[in-house]
Amino acid sequence: MSLRIAIIGGGAAGFFAAIKAKETTPDAIVTIYEKGKKPLAKVGITGGGRCNLTNSFSGISDLKKVYPRGDKLMKRLFNTFDYQDTFRWFEKHGVPLVIQDDECVFPRSQDAQSVVRCLVDEAHRLGIATKTGHSLSRIERSDDAMFLFFNDSDKYIVAERVVIATGGHAYISSFDYIASLGHSITEPAPSLFTFNIADKALRGLMGTVVKNVSVGIVGEKMRGDGPLLITHWGMSGPAVLRLSSYAARLAHERKYRFDISVNWIGQSNMSVVAENIAKTARENAAKKVGNVRPYDLPTRLWDYLVRKMDVASEKRWDETGKKWQNKIVEILTNDVYHVDGKSKWRDEFVICGGVSLSSINPNTLESKHLPGLYFAGEVTDVDAVTGGFNLQAAWTMGYVAGGNAAK
């Protein structure tokens, strides 16, 4: 009798697991069971509909910088299937890729549907069935097989191997059927989100982008670097999203109310900044403060910061003095704001938490509690910063779990 493999979840990790399983054991019966009406829905909207499907990883010397949770596991799994393998796989399967200046990798078509079609077509070519509207609610083990119950019904299907790749869940109760099998569950919490800030004057700058910013939580060491976008609700952009990922647990514990420090110029050496400001004052002595922007800051932002320092923009630089120059240095490098809540980032919602890695074999992704059961993707306590790293985790974990499930 052919090996029956059930893939629970029709997202990136699920499809990759199914394809690898079928390639590993061609006569296996591989079926994808998806809860929603349409498989790969999240892949279709990621990257603003362009699908940032991986990253070049150029300059990433420590995976902890991009995988706040699961970096050691990802380093191990990359020995089997890494970002270079992902690049080659998609190009081999008819999806040419391009690397942007920020090292993010997109399909050359700039259309996420080319990635979706590639995966759907490959699954169809291999004879993998996809069933939608199937929400797994219970697993029971009997001898060498598992009974899978869907939609809280008494009806079940039988499979010898199961890969759970359902993606992240916002509520810990969604993991009850997994916890009942003996697995430890780390409480889920949002990982990529933007900051709500009540300062109306700041929000009046919406649309302003500052290219080289460093944002941190006051009193903590973690920081997010990169461009920052001021929005009508507060702050967004790569710097904020990275910090939200690093501080996901802390922010959750503080109910998304905390102070942040914004370094608008990304320069941490205060003496160098002070020297540059003094030089600006000397070289522009007769010019108005409002007309000379240090570090080429956006005009609206500089006007806002000048008002925040309570200095008239009509004042000349030679009238500033040492005391006010110190104020400039402080506001450029340590401008404090209070975060009062979070907002969802686009339609891409990443969750940290899930099946604890202590319950999973790090070499095969097989459950330590139920032989034949595997996990892949965001259902586990693995998540990443923005930039294609989360999808890379899905491809890698799906490949490893699917390959081992089919052996």
Side-chain angles (χ1 to χ4, degrees):
M1 184 176 179
S2 297
L3 179 67
R4 291 166 292 188
I5 304 174
I7 309 295
I8 311 302
F15 263 78
F16 230 60
I19 290 169
K20 180 57 180 174
K22 188 68 173 177
E23 288 175 342
T24 302
T25 305
D27 63 350
I29 301 172
V30 181
T31 307
I32 298 170
Y33 295 92
E34 163 59 30
K35 178 181 180 180
K37 296 179 180 179
K38 188 177 181 181
L40 296 166
K42 192 172 180 180
V43 173
I45 61 173
T46 187
R50 296 189 299 132
C51 191
N52 179 191
L53 78 172
T54 187
N55 192 282
S56 75
F57 282 74
S58 176
I60 306 297
S61 57
D62 183 0
L63 288 184
K64 185 71 175 176
K65 292 181 179 179
V66 293
Y67 292 103
R69 288 151 290 273
D71 61 299
K72 291 183 176 61
L73 176 65
M74 293 310 302
K75 184 176 181 179
R76 183 188 297 252
L77 298 181
F78 276 178
N79 290 324
T80 301
F81 191 89
D82 67 4
Y83 46 94
Q84 293 174 320
D85 295 312
T86 296
F87 201 105
R88 285 190 290 265
W89 192 94
F90 278 99
E91 292 223 313
K92 178 183 175 182
H93 289 81
V95 183
L97 304 179
V98 293
I99 303 175
Q100 294 188 162
D101 291 342
D102 61 2
E103 307 303 334
C104 294
V105 177
F106 287 84
R108 187 183 298 165
S109 66
Q110 298 293 300
D111 184 2
Q113 292 307 313
S114 61
V115 177
V116 172
R117 286 192 298 269
C118 169
L119 294 170
V120 170
D121 290 348
E122 184 63 9
H124 179 73
R125 185 186 71 80
L126 292 170
I128 298 168
T130 302
K131 298 182 182 296
T132 57
H134 282 67
S135 177
L136 184 63
S137 52
R138 191 165 93 248
I139 299 177
E140 292 183 6
R141 178 79 185 188
S142 178
D143 298 327
D144 294 328
M146 282 173 270
F147 295 88
L148 309 180
F149 295 82
F150 292 90
N151 306 326
D152 295 315
S153 168
D154 289 333
K155 295 180 180 180
Y156 60 85
I157 63 103
V158 181
E160 285 76 37
R161 307 286 170 79
V162 176
V163 178
I164 296 182
T166 53
H169 298 299
Y171 303 103
I172 197 166
S173 59
S174 301
F175 294 91
D176 284 351
Y177 73 97
I178 298 174
S180 69
L181 299 171
H183 303 92
S184 297
I185 306 297
T186 302
E187 184 179 2
S191 179
L192 289 181
F193 51 87
T194 61
F195 297 163
N196 293 350
I197 296 174
D199 187 331
K200 289 183 179 179
L202 175 77
R203 295 190 326 224
L205 306 179
M206 65 178 186
T208 299
V209 176
V210 192
K211 293 181 179 180
N212 185 26
V213 177
S214 180
V215 186
I217 294 179
V218 173
E220 305 292 336
K221 292 182 178 179
M222 58 192 76
R223 300 193 72 84
D225 301 326
L228 182 146
L229 169 66
I230 299 174
T231 68
H232 66 275
W233 64 85
M235 294 181 183
S236 184
V240 167
L241 293 169
R242 282 177 181 260
L243 179 60
S244 76
S245 182
Y246 299 145
R249 289 265 162 237
L250 180 66
H252 182 67
E253 291 167 4
R254 295 187 182 180
K255 301 186 185 303
Y256 305 98
R257 288 173 175 79
F258 48 86
D259 289 338
I260 59 170
S261 167
V262 180
N263 184 321
W264 292 108
I265 57 177
Q267 172 60 263
S268 59
N269 191 319
M270 302 282 279
S271 59
V272 170
V273 178
E275 186 178 320
N276 285 338
I277 293 302
K279 182 180 178 182
T280 298
R282 288 195 305 271
E283 294 179 349
N284 300 277
K287 294 181 180 179
K288 295 177 181 178
V289 168
N291 292 341
V292 179
R293 296 170 287 122
Y295 292 91
D296 200 29
L297 289 173
T299 301
R300 290 199 301 161
L301 175 63
W302 176 239
D303 289 344
Y304 163 78
L305 294 177
V306 170
R307 291 194 301 273
K308 192 174 181 181
M309 289 183 285
D310 197 25
V311 173
S313 61
E314 300 297 314
K315 194 171 188 176
R316 295 186 345 181
W317 274 96
D318 62 1
E319 298 174 322
T320 58
K322 183 71 174 176
K323 185 177 180 180
W324 190 76
Q325 288 177 23
N326 288 338
K327 270 188 176 184
I328 298 178
V329 173
E330 179 67 16
I331 205 165
L332 290 179
T333 60
N334 185 31
D335 194 14
V336 176
Y337 296 87
H338 181 68
V339 174
D340 188 14
K342 60 177 175 59
S343 292
K344 187 175 177 181
W345 181 56
R346 291 179 178 168
D347 293 312
E348 303 170 49
F349 197 46
V350 175
I351 298 286
C352 74
V355 181
S356 171
L357 301 186
S358 65
S359 292
I360 302 171
N361 183 317
N363 295 310
T364 63
L365 299 183
E366 185 176 22
S367 163
K368 292 181 179 179
H369 303 279
L370 184 56
L373 178 65
Y374 297 79
F375 296 96
E378 205 183 322
V379 71
T380 67
D381 190 17
V382 175
D383 66 286
V385 301
T386 182
F389 302 105
N390 280 295
L391 269 179
Q392 180 57 55
W395 310 132
T396 295
M397 296 179 80
Y399 186 96
V400 173
N404 283 293
K407 287 182 180 177

